[in-house]
PDB file of all heavy atoms in Angstrom:
ATOM      1  N   ASN A  57     -25.599  -6.737 -14.434  1.00  0.00           N
ATOM      2  CA  ASN A  57     -25.938  -7.941 -13.673  1.00  0.00           C
ATOM      3  C   ASN A  57     -26.178  -7.660 -12.193  1.00  0.00           C
ATOM      4  O   ASN A  57     -26.512  -8.565 -11.441  1.00  0.00           O
ATOM      5  CB  ASN A  57     -24.806  -8.972 -13.788  1.00  0.00           C
ATOM      6  CG  ASN A  57     -24.555  -9.362 -15.221  1.00  0.00           C
ATOM      7  OD1 ASN A  57     -25.478  -9.654 -15.952  1.00  0.00           O
ATOM      8  ND2 ASN A  57     -23.308  -9.337 -15.633  1.00  0.00           N
ATOM      9  N   LEU A  58     -25.990  -6.413 -11.798  1.00  0.00           N
ATOM     10  CA  LEU A  58     -26.110  -6.045 -10.399  1.00  0.00           C
ATOM     11  C   LEU A  58     -27.567  -6.094  -9.948  1.00  0.00           C
ATOM     12  O   LEU A  58     -28.446  -5.519 -10.586  1.00  0.00           O
ATOM     13  CB  LEU A  58     -25.552  -4.632 -10.193  1.00  0.00           C
ATOM     14  CG  LEU A  58     -25.456  -4.125  -8.778  1.00  0.00           C
ATOM     15  CD1 LEU A  58     -24.473  -4.971  -7.974  1.00  0.00           C
ATOM     16  CD2 LEU A  58     -25.001  -2.672  -8.782  1.00  0.00           C
ATOM     17  N   VAL A  59     -27.827  -6.801  -8.882  1.00  0.00           N
ATOM     18  CA  VAL A  59     -29.163  -6.866  -8.297  1.00  0.00           C
ATOM     19  C   VAL A  59     -29.151  -5.944  -7.083  1.00  0.00           C
ATOM     20  O   VAL A  59     -28.296  -6.076  -6.206  1.00  0.00           O
ATOM     21  CB  VAL A  59     -29.518  -8.310  -7.872  1.00  0.00           C
ATOM     22  CG1 VAL A  59     -30.870  -8.356  -7.201  1.00  0.00           C
ATOM     23  CG2 VAL A  59     -29.476  -9.235  -9.076  1.00  0.00           C
ATOM     24  N   TYR A  60     -30.076  -5.012  -7.051  1.00  0.00           N
ATOM     25  CA  TYR A  60     -30.094  -4.067  -5.945  1.00  0.00           C
ATOM     26  C   TYR A  60     -31.523  -3.651  -5.638  1.00  0.00           C
ATOM     27  O   TYR A  60     -32.443  -3.901  -6.406  1.00  0.00           O
ATOM     28  CB  TYR A  60     -29.239  -2.834  -6.262  1.00  0.00           C
ATOM     29  CG  TYR A  60     -29.774  -2.017  -7.408  1.00  0.00           C
ATOM     30  CD1 TYR A  60     -30.619  -0.951  -7.163  1.00  0.00           C
ATOM     31  CD2 TYR A  60     -29.451  -2.316  -8.724  1.00  0.00           C
ATOM     32  CE1 TYR A  60     -31.135  -0.202  -8.210  1.00  0.00           C
ATOM     33  CE2 TYR A  60     -29.953  -1.576  -9.769  1.00  0.00           C
ATOM     34  CZ  TYR A  60     -30.792  -0.514  -9.508  1.00  0.00           C
ATOM     35  OH  TYR A  60     -31.294   0.214 -10.538  1.00  0.00           O
ATOM     36  N   GLY A  61     -31.696  -3.035  -4.524  1.00  0.00           N
ATOM     37  CA  GLY A  61     -32.994  -2.517  -4.117  1.00  0.00           C
ATOM     38  C   GLY A  61     -32.819  -1.113  -3.560  1.00  0.00           C
ATOM     39  O   GLY A  61     -31.715  -0.707  -3.218  1.00  0.00           O
ATOM     40  N   GLU A  62     -33.905  -0.410  -3.499  1.00  0.00           N
ATOM     41  CA  GLU A  62     -33.876   0.947  -2.972  1.00  0.00           C
ATOM     42  C   GLU A  62     -34.915   1.080  -1.876  1.00  0.00           C
ATOM     43  O   GLU A  62     -35.946   0.409  -1.902  1.00  0.00           O
ATOM     44  CB  GLU A  62     -34.190   1.964  -4.073  1.00  0.00           C
ATOM     45  CG  GLU A  62     -33.187   1.977  -5.195  1.00  0.00           C
ATOM     46  CD  GLU A  62     -33.565   2.985  -6.280  1.00  0.00           C
ATOM     47  OE1 GLU A  62     -34.388   3.876  -6.009  1.00  0.00           O
ATOM     48  OE2 GLU A  62     -33.042   2.853  -7.377  1.00  0.00           O
ATOM     49  N   ARG A  63     -34.630   1.928  -0.907  1.00  0.00           N
ATOM     50  CA  ARG A  63     -35.610   2.235   0.115  1.00  0.00           C
ATOM     51  C   ARG A  63     -35.314   3.620   0.662  1.00  0.00           C
ATOM     52  O   ARG A  63     -34.160   4.042   0.719  1.00  0.00           O
ATOM     53  CB  ARG A  63     -35.600   1.199   1.229  1.00  0.00           C
ATOM     54  CG  ARG A  63     -34.336   1.172   2.048  1.00  0.00           C
ATOM     55  CD  ARG A  63     -34.404   0.084   3.121  1.00  0.00           C
ATOM     56  NE  ARG A  63     -33.206   0.060   3.915  1.00  0.00           N
ATOM     57  CZ  ARG A  63     -33.029   0.755   5.042  1.00  0.00           C
ATOM     58  NH1 ARG A  63     -33.987   1.521   5.493  1.00  0.00           N
ATOM     59  NH2 ARG A  63     -31.899   0.678   5.694  1.00  0.00           N
ATOM     60  N   GLY A  64     -36.351   4.309   1.037  1.00  0.00           N
ATOM     61  CA  GLY A  64     -36.187   5.626   1.640  1.00  0.00           C
ATOM     62  C   GLY A  64     -35.716   5.488   3.070  1.00  0.00           C
ATOM     63  O   GLY A  64     -36.132   4.588   3.788  1.00  0.00           O
ATOM     64  N   VAL A  65     -34.844   6.368   3.489  1.00  0.00           N
ATOM     65  CA  VAL A  65     -34.362   6.329   4.859  1.00  0.00           C
ATOM     66  C   VAL A  65     -34.680   7.611   5.618  1.00  0.00           C
ATOM     67  O   VAL A  65     -34.618   7.642   6.839  1.00  0.00           O
ATOM     68  CB  VAL A  65     -32.842   6.049   4.929  1.00  0.00           C
ATOM     69  CG1 VAL A  65     -32.532   4.658   4.405  1.00  0.00           C
ATOM     70  CG2 VAL A  65     -32.056   7.099   4.173  1.00  0.00           C
ATOM     71  N   ALA A  66     -35.027   8.669   4.897  1.00  0.00           N
ATOM     72  CA  ALA A  66     -35.362   9.935   5.537  1.00  0.00           C
ATOM     73  C   ALA A  66     -36.346  10.700   4.655  1.00  0.00           C
ATOM     74  O   ALA A  66     -36.381  10.519   3.444  1.00  0.00           O
ATOM     75  CB  ALA A  66     -34.106  10.776   5.769  1.00  0.00           C
ATOM     76  N   LEU A  67     -37.128  11.543   5.299  1.00  0.00           N
ATOM     77  CA  LEU A  67     -38.084  12.403   4.601  1.00  0.00           C
ATOM     78  C   LEU A  67     -37.688  13.846   4.882  1.00  0.00           C
ATOM     79  O   LEU A  67     -37.497  14.227   6.034  1.00  0.00           O
ATOM     80  CB  LEU A  67     -39.503  12.135   5.112  1.00  0.00           C
ATOM     81  CG  LEU A  67     -40.619  12.928   4.451  1.00  0.00           C
ATOM     82  CD1 LEU A  67     -40.732  12.555   2.975  1.00  0.00           C
ATOM     83  CD2 LEU A  67     -41.935  12.650   5.154  1.00  0.00           C
ATOM     84  N   PHE A  68     -37.524  14.621   3.824  1.00  0.00           N
ATOM     85  CA  PHE A  68     -37.120  16.018   3.957  1.00  0.00           C
ATOM     86  C   PHE A  68     -38.284  16.911   3.567  1.00  0.00           C
ATOM     87  O   PHE A  68     -38.985  16.645   2.592  1.00  0.00           O
ATOM     88  CB  PHE A  68     -35.913  16.313   3.048  1.00  0.00           C
ATOM     89  CG  PHE A  68     -34.694  15.537   3.446  1.00  0.00           C
ATOM     90  CD1 PHE A  68     -34.475  14.254   2.962  1.00  0.00           C
ATOM     91  CD2 PHE A  68     -33.764  16.084   4.309  1.00  0.00           C
ATOM     92  CE1 PHE A  68     -33.359  13.526   3.337  1.00  0.00           C
ATOM     93  CE2 PHE A  68     -32.642  15.370   4.688  1.00  0.00           C
ATOM     94  CZ  PHE A  68     -32.441  14.088   4.198  1.00  0.00           C
ATOM     95  N   GLN A  69     -38.472  17.994   4.293  1.00  0.00           N
ATOM     96  CA  GLN A  69     -39.560  18.935   4.002  1.00  0.00           C
ATOM     97  C   GLN A  69     -38.951  20.261   3.555  1.00  0.00           C
ATOM     98  O   GLN A  69     -38.048  20.797   4.211  1.00  0.00           O
ATOM     99  CB  GLN A  69     -40.427  19.139   5.242  1.00  0.00           C
ATOM    100  CG  GLN A  69     -41.690  19.916   4.941  1.00  0.00           C
ATOM    101  CD  GLN A  69     -42.564  20.020   6.168  1.00  0.00           C
ATOM    102  OE1 GLN A  69     -42.141  20.568   7.181  1.00  0.00           O
ATOM    103  NE2 GLN A  69     -43.758  19.479   6.084  1.00  0.00           N
ATOM    104  N   ARG A  70     -39.475  20.781   2.454  1.00  0.00           N
ATOM    105  CA  ARG A  70     -38.995  22.062   1.931  1.00  0.00           C
ATOM    106  C   ARG A  70     -39.289  23.190   2.911  1.00  0.00           C
ATOM    107  O   ARG A  70     -40.211  23.116   3.713  1.00  0.00           O
ATOM    108  CB  ARG A  70     -39.689  22.388   0.611  1.00  0.00           C
ATOM    109  CG  ARG A  70     -39.296  21.507  -0.501  1.00  0.00           C
ATOM    110  CD  ARG A  70     -40.005  21.928  -1.761  1.00  0.00           C
ATOM    111  NE  ARG A  70     -39.641  21.036  -2.835  1.00  0.00           N
ATOM    112  CZ  ARG A  70     -40.303  20.918  -3.947  1.00  0.00           C
ATOM    113  NH1 ARG A  70     -41.386  21.639  -4.159  1.00  0.00           N
ATOM    114  NH2 ARG A  70     -39.902  20.078  -4.877  1.00  0.00           N
ATOM    115  N   HIS A  71     -38.539  24.243   2.773  1.00  0.00           N
ATOM    116  CA  HIS A  71     -38.769  25.427   3.594  1.00  0.00           C
ATOM    117  C   HIS A  71     -40.125  26.021   3.220  1.00  0.00           C
ATOM    118  O   HIS A  71     -40.452  26.133   2.031  1.00  0.00           O
ATOM    119  CB  HIS A  71     -37.653  26.459   3.367  1.00  0.00           C
ATOM    120  CG  HIS A  71     -37.651  27.542   4.375  1.00  0.00           C
ATOM    121  ND1 HIS A  71     -38.479  28.621   4.291  1.00  0.00           N
ATOM    122  CD2 HIS A  71     -36.921  27.691   5.510  1.00  0.00           C
ATOM    123  CE1 HIS A  71     -38.266  29.422   5.319  1.00  0.00           C
ATOM    124  NE2 HIS A  71     -37.327  28.880   6.078  1.00  0.00           N
ATOM    125  N   PRO A  72     -40.953  26.408   4.220  1.00  0.00           N
ATOM    126  CA  PRO A  72     -42.306  26.892   3.919  1.00  0.00           C
ATOM    127  C   PRO A  72     -42.342  28.185   3.109  1.00  0.00           C
ATOM    128  O   PRO A  72     -43.337  28.472   2.447  1.00  0.00           O
ATOM    129  CB  PRO A  72     -42.936  27.080   5.301  1.00  0.00           C
ATOM    130  CG  PRO A  72     -41.799  27.164   6.259  1.00  0.00           C
ATOM    131  CD  PRO A  72     -40.688  26.369   5.653  1.00  0.00           C
ATOM    132  N   LYS A  73     -41.270  28.963   3.106  1.00  0.00           N
ATOM    133  CA  LYS A  73     -41.237  30.220   2.341  1.00  0.00           C
ATOM    134  C   LYS A  73     -40.536  30.051   1.001  1.00  0.00           C
ATOM    135  O   LYS A  73     -40.208  31.023   0.342  1.00  0.00           O
ATOM    136  CB  LYS A  73     -40.573  31.312   3.163  1.00  0.00           C
ATOM    137  CG  LYS A  73     -41.375  31.689   4.403  1.00  0.00           C
ATOM    138  CD  LYS A  73     -40.755  32.831   5.141  1.00  0.00           C
ATOM    139  CE  LYS A  73     -41.619  33.161   6.350  1.00  0.00           C
ATOM    140  NZ  LYS A  73     -41.039  34.243   7.139  1.00  0.00           N
ATOM    141  N   GLY A  74     -40.308  28.796   0.606  1.00  0.00           N
ATOM    142  CA  GLY A  74     -39.707  28.540  -0.698  1.00  0.00           C
ATOM    143  C   GLY A  74     -38.209  28.758  -0.769  1.00  0.00           C
ATOM    144  O   GLY A  74     -37.647  28.771  -1.866  1.00  0.00           O
ATOM    145  N   LEU A  75     -37.561  28.940   0.364  1.00  0.00           N
ATOM    146  CA  LEU A  75     -36.109  29.112   0.347  1.00  0.00           C
ATOM    147  C   LEU A  75     -35.453  27.789  -0.084  1.00  0.00           C
ATOM    148  O   LEU A  75     -35.977  26.711   0.201  1.00  0.00           O
ATOM    149  CB  LEU A  75     -35.607  29.518   1.736  1.00  0.00           C
ATOM    150  CG  LEU A  75     -36.128  30.860   2.267  1.00  0.00           C
ATOM    151  CD1 LEU A  75     -35.644  31.078   3.690  1.00  0.00           C
ATOM    152  CD2 LEU A  75     -35.681  31.997   1.373  1.00  0.00           C
ATOM    153  N   PRO A  76     -34.309  27.864  -0.761  1.00  0.00           N
ATOM    154  CA  PRO A  76     -33.659  26.654  -1.274  1.00  0.00           C
ATOM    155  C   PRO A  76     -32.892  25.899  -0.184  1.00  0.00           C
ATOM    156  O   PRO A  76     -31.682  25.723  -0.253  1.00  0.00           O
ATOM    157  CB  PRO A  76     -32.732  27.192  -2.364  1.00  0.00           C
ATOM    158  CG  PRO A  76     -32.366  28.554  -1.880  1.00  0.00           C
ATOM    159  CD  PRO A  76     -33.608  29.078  -1.193  1.00  0.00           C
TER     160      PRO A  76
END
Side-chain angles (χ1 to χ4, degrees):
N57 301 313
L58 186 64
V59 177
Y60 65 93
E62 297 179 18
R63 66 181 181 91
V65 295
L67 182 64
F68 296 87
Q69 189 176 60
R70 291 181 182 163
H71 193 278
K73 294 184 179 178
L75 297 175

